[in-house]
Every structure is written in C-alpha cells, then in structure tokens.
Amino acid sequence: MSHKTLLRTGPLLPGGISPYGPLGLPGSDGLALPAGFTGRVVARSGHKVAGLTWHAAPDGGACFPDGDGWIYVSNSELPLLGGASALRLRADGSVADAYRILSGTDLNCAGGATPWHTWLSCELGHRGRVFECDPYGARAARPRLSMGRFKHEAAACDPERRVIYMTEDEPDGCFYRFRPSDWGDLTEGTLEVLCSSGHWQVVPSPAALLKEARHQVDDARHFDGGDGCHYAGGVCYFTTKGDSGLWAYDAHTSTLDRLGAGVRAITAAPSGDLYVARERPEIDVIAPDRAVTPFLRLEGHDGAELTGLAFSPRGDRLYFSARRGRTEGYTFEVAGPFRP
C-alpha cells in the first residue's frame, strides 16, 4: 500500500517535468519509455504461455506476493467464458507457471485485491456477481452475493475502515461500499450506497430481482459509467467512462472531488505516485504534488484500451494489458527505476 497520496486540495497540474525524463523512441514492442526502463510482452491472447492459452479481452489485474517472486492475475471480459488467469513469476521476472483461477463466468471486467491476498473478480453483465478467487490456485472461487447483483466494474479494499468500495458500469451507476460482518470474510455483510448528501445509506435488497440496487435509495448519487477503482492512503480513486472522469473519495473527510478527465484505469505505486491509463494508449504518472507527466506511450496499437495496471510487490515492475475488442490482447511488463 502507498504510504503517500495526493495533496488533498487543489487541481491537477499537467505539463510539468517528468521525474523520469522524456520518453524515448518506441522499441520493437511499441513501447516508448523513459531512459532506464525496459518493456516486454509477457502474454498474448490466443498464444501459449507456460502451457496455458492466454485469455482474450484481458482486463482488470493485480499482483500478489509469492515467496521470492509474485503472481499477476488478469480478468477476461468475455461473455460466458470470462473468468480469470494467473501468471506466476520468479524473482528474476521469468514466467514459471500460468493457470486459470476462475472459469465459466460472464464478462469479468475489473476487480480488486484484498489484504488477505485474494482477488475479487467482478462480472459486468446484468445482475453480475463478485467472485472471490485464490490467486495461488489452491482453492475454488466463491461468489459473494451479499456484495450485490449489478453491473460490477471494479473493487478496492479500505483496511482502515474495513470496507470495500465498488463501481457500477451503468449510465446512472452508483458508488458503493460493502461492510463485511467480519473483516476477511465476505460471506455476509451490508451494502451501502453513496448519496447526494455525502452520507452512506444501506441498500435494502442488494440481490433483488425486480428493483435494481441503484434505484433502491432515493438520494443515491449517480455517475456516468463507473470504471476503474483503487484505494491508497485514505483515498479511493475511481473513474467514470461516460465522461472519462477521475474522482477521489477522501474517506477521512467523507468528501468527493472530481480531479480531472481523460482517464480509464488507475493504480498506485509504493511511492504514492498514481499511474493512470488514458483513453488513448498512454500512461501518465501523477505525483503526490499533483503534477501530471507522461510515463509511457504504446504505438502500433491504435484504438487499444489499456487495462489491468498493477505493480509487483517490490514496486519495480508495472503490468498492464492492451486490448482491442474481445479478441486481441497483449499483457505487458515494464521494469525499471521506479521511485521508492
């Protein structure tokens, strides 16, 4: 978890000097990176990696510690055949294994990692579910129906308040938080929705058949297509695809701030820097002082959406996927001198 975060007031400041310097020329993989950074493709849709055919439509992702190495988990936003796969990487970054951790589910778009090292894979379809998955592949995934039945997009855990924030991909979607009855056990709990008043109210019937969750509380605040979501340093950042907004919910003060636009996916580095994927195939870095500068540009992938941004546990490698539609997808690794 990041130990720093953005200054809590003030606008973003684009056009500053990057902490890593200017981008160089793109390499054979299409990645244009600052000096000292290298990139590579670690998996490609429809191609074998460590004996597994990598899934199409790679979307949300996260990293988990695994001894001296780590695991990168990636969702698949395919109808009926979605699910999630995992790459097990050695300490030197080489791929040791690849395997499925969730199969037979529908439109697994984004999700989120838990502090107890499970992956919450979210279904985007009508009455979608949240599945809690074992990234290590030892235990079967389980649906967590108390977290609601709606078009789930992403999830982010707040260990201080012991809640999980969730976004909803509807033109009038809501911003939710789930409060488990016991932290670390998502079997039962209370689903709440953020309201226009700034307060949270309980959703009476999270899995109701007739009245959808977002319409059950009159004062619920609505957003234009909830998208990526990430919690760091007391703030839950989330994006909205309908208006390409970047939002910050300050859990300490219970206030919501729209920071900017043109952002789809988001993650944080241990340094406190935010890394945001733009609507075009580029990634910017947002420093804690709110300076916004380019970090990466991907050429030769026109029209691709960048998804699944996640840092390795040591913070020295960034993973993400570039996908076009529900067929082509490349999963990348960028390694280099990220700020500590």
Side-chain angles (χ1 to χ4, degrees):
M1 177 176 295
S2 301
H3 54 77
K4 295 183 290 184
T5 188
L6 293 182
L7 299 176
R8 296 187 182 275
T9 58
L12 297 180
L13 305 171
I17 299 175
S18 170
Y20 301 116
L23 301 185
L25 296 175
S28 58
D29 51 17
L31 288 171
L33 298 164
F37 287 86
T38 59
R40 62 175 178 142
V41 175
V42 292
R44 181 180 175 185
S45 296
H47 292 245
K48 293 283 188 180
V49 53
L52 175 77
T53 300
W54 194 241
H55 54 265
D59 209 284
C63 284
F64 300 86
D66 184 46
D68 293 334
W70 57 93
I71 291 168
Y72 176 69
V73 165
S74 172
N75 271 354
S76 173
E77 195 189 331
L78 284 179
L80 303 178
L81 300 172
S85 302
L87 294 175
R88 176 172 276 119
L89 298 116
R90 303 181 182 93
D92 63 0
S94 60
V95 177
D97 196 9
Y99 48 92
R100 296 284 284 176
I101 62 170
L102 177 65
S103 297
T105 51
D106 185 41
L107 295 169
N108 295 85
C109 194
T114 69
W116 49 93
H117 297 159
T118 60
W119 168 245
L120 302 180
S121 183
C122 298
E123 287 185 314
L124 188 60
H126 177 66
R127 290 182 55 77
R129 299 158 292 178
V130 176
F131 283 81
E132 187 170 15
C133 310
D134 177 16
Y136 305 95
R139 300 186 305 275
R142 293 287 183 267
R144 300 307 186 195
L145 302 183
S146 294
M147 300 181 77
R149 300 291 303 272
F150 53 85
K151 286 189 177 180
H152 285 275
E153 180 72 36
C157 290
D158 176 351
E160 297 172 78
R161 276 147 290 274
R162 297 191 168 188
V163 299
I164 299 171
Y165 302 103
M166 296 181 290
T167 55
E168 180 180 24
D169 188 7
E170 294 275 12
D172 60 344
C174 290
F175 183 53
Y176 301 92
R177 70 181 184 188
F178 179 67
R179 191 182 298 278
S181 300
D182 294 302
W183 185 239
D185 182 354
L186 305 181
T187 307
E188 298 179 347
T190 302
L191 184 68
E192 300 172 329
V193 63
L194 182 66
C195 294
S196 299
S197 63
H199 297 108
W200 295 87
Q201 290 192 34
V202 174
V203 176
S205 302
L209 286 171
L210 299 180
K211 192 169 186 180
E212 294 171 314
R214 69 187 188 281
H215 297 147
Q216 293 182 24
V217 176
D218 291 340
D219 190 40
R221 180 163 180 174
H222 298 278
F223 299 88
D224 192 356
D227 205 358
C229 185
H230 188 85
Y231 176 86
V235 178
C236 184
Y237 303 93
F238 66 95
T239 64
T240 46
K241 65 180 63 172
D243 55 6
S244 67
L246 173 61
W247 303 77
Y249 175 74
D250 189 326
H252 293 299
T253 61
S254 300
T255 56
L256 182 68
D257 183 24
R258 183 182 165 104
L259 301 180
V263 175
R264 291 296 303 270
I266 185 168
T267 194
S271 63
D273 295 326
L274 298 180
Y275 286 75
V276 296
R278 295 293 187 179
E279 293 180 296
R280 52 193 180 275
E282 298 177 0
I283 294 176
D284 286 351
V285 57
I286 306 176
D289 63 2
R290 293 184 176 244
V292 184
T293 54
F295 172 72
L296 173 156
R297 184 176 67 253
L298 180 61
E299 297 192 356
H301 292 259
D302 294 345
E305 177 186 356
L306 303 190
T307 61
L309 279 65
F311 275 91
S312 63
R314 294 197 303 259
D316 59 347
R317 298 171 193 255
L318 172 65
Y319 294 88
F320 69 93
S321 292
R323 51 167 290 197
R324 282 191 284 203
R326 290 178 177 165
T327 54
E328 186 178 25
Y330 294 78
T331 299
F332 290 88
E333 175 198 85
V334 173
F338 290 98
R339 298 201 294 181

